[in-house]
Amino acid sequence: MTTVAETATGGKPAKAYYAHLYDEAGTLAKVEGVIYFLVPETGTITAIEPEHCPFLTVLGEIGLADTQRIMDAIHGGLATVCTSRQN
């Protein structure tokens, strides 16, 4: 009889926020200790450094569905998430 390994679920669910960095509107999320800024129109992902902070405006929290879309994009896109070893 074989045993199937259980996948450990993370602690807190990820949260994302609407934000503006310089003149671009996008979303802000913290993943594994790194804060990312995602621009949905272009698909660019920027890791926020201390020199970005004066030009960053954080707005309200995004809903759960949009947060999951952002987490998928940060982890390589929908195809990568669907075909990863954990699934």
Side-chain angles (χ1 to χ4, degrees):
M1 181 172 180
T2 61
T3 357
V4 179
E6 287 187 32
T7 20
T9 57
K12 294 181 180 179
K15 291 185 180 181
Y17 298 87
Y18 293 111
H20 289 274
L21 181 62
Y22 298 106
D23 289 336
E24 289 186 304
T27 54
L28 197 66
K30 185 175 183 180
V31 180
E32 298 171 3
V34 180
I35 300 173
Y36 293 103
F37 180 76
L38 172 74
V39 180
E41 290 83 24
T42 61
T44 57
I45 298 173
T46 306
I48 298 296
E49 300 292 330
E51 58 267 9
H52 293 122
C53 291
F55 307 103
L56 179 66
T57 303
V58 181
L59 305 171
E61 186 177 350
I62 295 176
L64 184 62
D66 286 336
T67 302
Q68 186 60 49
R69 180 186 53 81
I70 294 164
M71 292 302 117
D72 290 346
I74 289 174
H75 288 99
L78 186 60
T80 304
V81 172
C82 291
T83 58
S84 69
R85 181 77 177 160
Q86 292 178 350
N87 291 327

